[in-house]
Amino acid sequence: MNDKPLILVIDDEEAMRDSCTQILVKHGFRVETAPDGQSGLEKAASLKPDLALIDLKMPGISGLDVLNKIKEIDSEIISIVITGYATVESAVEAMKRGAYDFLPKPFTPEELRIIIRRALERRELAREAEKLKREKKLLEENFITLVSHQLRSPLIAIQQYFETILGGYAGEMSPQIKDMMLRAKERIKDLLQLINDWLDLARINRQELVTRFKPVGLQALLQKQIETFMPLAKESSITINLEREASSDTVMADEQSLEQALANIIHNAIKYNRPGGKVIIRLWEKNSSLAIDIEDTGIGIPPEHLPHIFDQFYRVPLTGRGMTKGTGLGLSIAKKIIEAHDGRIEVKSVPNKGSTFTVILPLARTP
Amino acid sequence: MSAKKILVIDDDPDFVAAVTPILKSALYEVATASNPTEAKEKIFSEKPDLILLDIMMDSLFDGFSLCHAIKTSREFREFKDIPIIFVSAVKEVAGTRFQFKGEEQGMVGPDDYIDKPIDPADLLARIEKLLKK
């Protein structure tokens, strides 16, 4: 310990104060004394002792009241009561009011020393535990951020080397080396995507999302998504159409998250489509909700797999040589985000004809 | 005209090693620093023409405060016009805590932002544009 612990002795008997002081100073404590409850409380407030030794039977403010008030001054001060009339009742009462322990008179110097040591050690442990608890909480709160940084940093450094090498800034490569480097770069990119997806999933938290809710117009949001995905769709000659049947298109949402949820579904509708296929996005009203259909003309999902497609890392086994990439988390993320918006997601699918995902969100109340 | 000098400030030595050849290929001189203290020294000793500054050095705020200091403090007044490009691996995603918007906290922001990993051609184009100003 860095400082000598300070003990405050509150007792109306001078002999008692003196002998306690003598014993405690000898054992390396600092001691302050007070002859009555009132001055004892004043000293407790101004000196913030580590421990108070309180005589229960004093004129003026009683020992039990002093005990209560010391707790109010500083809950960290440990109180030990000295009971002249060593009855079980008074000791029990003192313990009930938050005394750490009691010491019946008369007591030996050794008894006093032991009880004080034990009380201080106990407090030290409680403080340590409290500190650890706080650190753990802080770590938990920032865990995702820390993990995110730790996991992503090395991968991004690797990606930067690939960019530089493949850009030809580190000298010539044989076609074979270049081919392998390109493949390695793709794998790193997939891994980074997996980490990003997983972190997104861990991070989506309704309480946090709600703080960012504002009215969002779905038509504009979907239009923007379509523009984003157009280049990818064109690669497979897929058309994307937006049909609006709803009069209002406003929902309360965290725009960025909702965008991500819908993007994941639209991306799938393109990825699992057939060349020359269609994606139809339909905005319609259903009771007091808005529904968004995302319909594709793709490979569909066999019925036995439908119940699992929102599970984390679940991938529908693909027949044929259709090698598709993805982390198996896209739909889990979408579902979690939509549910955080008090919405739900449904799916219908016919193998080899296509799937329709329907996102249902509560309509924002018009003022 | 002599070669322009670029100061790369990043705590990841691999990132610095990977970016340096890109800059050298465009005939820039390259100086490097791996922490804010070293960065300050290098600004004075190297007098760079442009700074590439990683947002996440030791803490999230180092990059922002260094940028703010260069642009506004007396200490750096002879360097206040050096263009600064923020480089970051900070991903904008739902619920992220990373979105520290320096400008919103009254800090002076950089002249440009670029994401890691940097696309070499994109980086060189941005640098050229800022140096022409």
Side-chain angles (χ1 to χ4, degrees):
Chain A
M1 254 183 262
N2 42 10
D3 235 342
K4 285 182 180 177
L6 178 64
I7 317 289
L8 176 62
V9 181
I10 309 172
D11 199 315
D12 58 326
E13 287 174 52
E14 195 182 349
M16 193 58 160
R17 295 197 300 272
D18 288 349
S19 58
C20 282
T21 305
Q22 230 177 1
I23 298 163
L24 292 170
V25 167
K26 197 177 122 199
H27 285 103
F29 297 103
R30 289 178 296 144
V31 182
E32 286 283 337
T33 60
D36 57 68
Q38 187 55 44
S39 59
L41 287 172
E42 280 160 20
K43 282 201 168 176
S46 61
L47 300 169
K48 292 278 156 72
D50 295 283
L51 189 146
L53 210 53
I54 306 161
D55 185 16
L56 273 189
K57 200 179 169 197
M58 285 185 292
I61 309 175
S62 82
L64 285 177
D65 288 339
V66 172
L67 188 60
N68 281 345
K69 289 191 171 129
I70 279 192
K71 284 270 160 236
E72 286 166 23
I73 290 170
D74 182 349
S75 62
E76 287 220 323
I77 299 173
I78 311 174
S79 300
I80 294 175
V81 294
I82 305 169
T83 55
Y85 45 101
T87 61
V88 175
E89 286 82 5
S90 57
V92 167
E93 182 59 27
M95 299 290 275
K96 270 189 195 159
R97 297 200 190 189
Y100 168 70
D101 210 343
F102 67 96
L103 195 57
K105 280 191 222 176
F107 50 83
T108 65
E110 190 61 9
E111 279 166 346
L112 176 66
R113 190 184 66 81
I114 288 172
I115 204 168
I116 286 182
R117 273 274 169 243
R118 201 171 59 203
L120 289 173
E121 274 169 19
R122 171 76 183 273
R123 184 175 70 154
E124 201 48 43
L125 284 177
R127 278 185 175 169
E128 289 279 318
E130 191 55 41
K131 196 173 139 225
L132 284 175
K133 227 157 86 184
R134 272 201 306 272
E135 275 172 13
K136 185 163 170 272
K137 190 157 172 274
L138 203 67
L139 192 68
E140 271 169 12
E141 279 169 6
N142 293 304
F143 182 70
I144 302 284
T145 308
L146 291 171
V147 170
S148 168
H149 187 51
Q150 298 297 329
L151 287 178
R152 286 160 44 84
S153 297
L155 289 178
I156 284 170
I158 295 171
Q159 280 189 316
Q160 193 60 58
Y161 277 125
F162 281 122
E163 288 289 340
T164 304
I165 295 167
L166 287 164
Y169 296 92
E172 289 295 309
M173 281 172 285
S174 73
Q176 197 187 3
I177 293 176
K178 189 167 184 176
D179 182 54
M180 287 183 181
M181 295 295 284
L182 275 170
R183 284 162 188 262
K185 181 186 157 185
E186 279 304 305
R187 296 302 291 265
I188 292 288
K189 200 176 131 203
D190 292 348
L191 179 56
L192 198 64
Q193 185 60 49
L194 176 65
I195 291 170
N196 286 341
D197 279 359
W198 184 81
L199 290 170
D200 281 351
L201 199 58
R203 241 191 304 242
I204 301 161
N205 162 336
R206 171 160 166 91
Q207 276 138 339
E208 254 187 77
L209 284 192
V210 170
T211 63
R212 289 194 296 270
F213 272 18
K214 58 177 178 119
V216 173
L218 283 178
Q219 169 135 16
L221 188 147
L222 289 166
Q223 205 70 56
K224 199 171 123 195
Q225 290 295 321
I226 292 172
E227 274 163 39
T228 310
F229 281 113
M230 210 49 111
L232 182 71
K234 274 194 179 144
E235 282 177 21
S236 310
S237 311
I238 292 164
T239 57
I240 311 177
N241 288 309
L242 177 61
E243 297 172 2
R244 175 167 172 177
E245 293 165 11
S247 53
S248 170
D249 74 332
T250 312
V251 293
M252 291 302 287
D254 170 50
E255 188 165 9
Q256 223 186 351
S257 316
L258 188 61
E259 217 171 70
Q260 191 188 359
L262 293 170
N264 287 357
I265 302 169
I266 298 170
H267 192 185
N268 280 352
I270 298 167
K271 198 161 73 175
Y272 299 109
N273 220 316
R274 58 175 165 80
K278 276 189 223 166
V279 175
I280 297 162
I281 301 174
R282 199 176 300 108
L283 198 55
W284 52 288
E285 256 173 87
K286 186 181 180 181
N287 305 327
S288 57
S289 297
L290 263 180
I292 309 150
D293 283 345
I294 295 158
E295 188 183 328
D296 66 57
T297 55
I299 53 179
I301 303 158
E304 66 270 26
H305 294 294
L306 270 183
H308 306 293
I309 58 166
F310 296 105
D311 295 351
Q312 293 180 26
F313 298 111
Y314 191 82
R315 306 287 306 273
V316 176
L318 293 177
T319 48
R321 50 177 212 91
M323 220 324 235
T324 49
K325 283 189 301 189
T327 58
L329 287 174
L331 286 177
S332 311
I333 294 171
K335 182 168 187 257
K336 205 169 164 190
I337 291 174
I338 286 157
E339 286 176 353
H341 285 83
D342 290 325
R344 60 182 203 277
I345 180 165
E346 294 170 356
V347 59
K348 276 183 243 149
S349 188
V350 182
N352 299 318
K353 289 198 80 173
S355 308
T356 304
F357 285 82
T358 305
V359 172
I360 296 156
L361 292 166
L363 200 55
R365 269 186 231 123
T366 38
Chain B
M1 211 173 82
S2 68
K4 299 274 190 187
K5 190 182 282 175
I6 296 174
L7 176 61
V8 181
I9 306 172
D10 199 306
D11 61 354
D12 186 337
D14 282 311
F15 180 80
V16 175
V19 165
T20 304
I22 301 174
L23 299 174
K24 289 200 166 154
S25 79
L27 305 176
Y28 294 117
E29 270 184 54
V30 179
T32 64
S34 61
N35 60 60
T37 317
E38 196 189 350
K40 283 182 187 175
E41 287 166 15
K42 288 285 175 79
I43 291 170
F44 286 100
S45 64
E46 302 280 348
K47 304 190 188 335
D49 297 287
L50 184 142
I51 296 172
L52 277 188
L53 175 59
D54 180 38
I55 296 184
M56 284 263 212
M57 289 199 290
D58 281 338
S59 88
L60 194 48
F61 303 98
D62 281 352
F64 281 96
S65 32
L66 184 60
C67 177
H68 182 75
I70 295 169
K71 300 270 182 197
T72 61
S73 79
R74 275 184 64 79
E75 187 190 0
F76 289 104
R77 65 185 181 283
E78 58 172 309
F79 305 107
K80 71 178 167 50
D81 295 324
I82 299 179
I84 297 176
I85 302 179
F86 264 177
V87 181
S88 80
V90 176
K91 200 173 97 59
E92 295 218 4
V93 282
T96 178
R97 274 179 238 266
F98 281 165
Q99 291 168 325
F100 174 70
K101 301 257 167 59
E103 287 91 337
E104 282 171 19
Q105 318 238 335
M107 288 181 128
V108 176
D111 298 85
D112 203 353
Y113 283 93
I114 191 164
D115 286 332
K116 281 184 183 179
I118 288 172
D119 171 29
D122 183 36
L123 174 67
L124 293 176
R126 284 168 196 258
I127 291 174
E128 199 183 341
K129 201 174 135 206
L130 284 172
L131 288 178
K132 264 189 192 155
K133 273 189 184 167

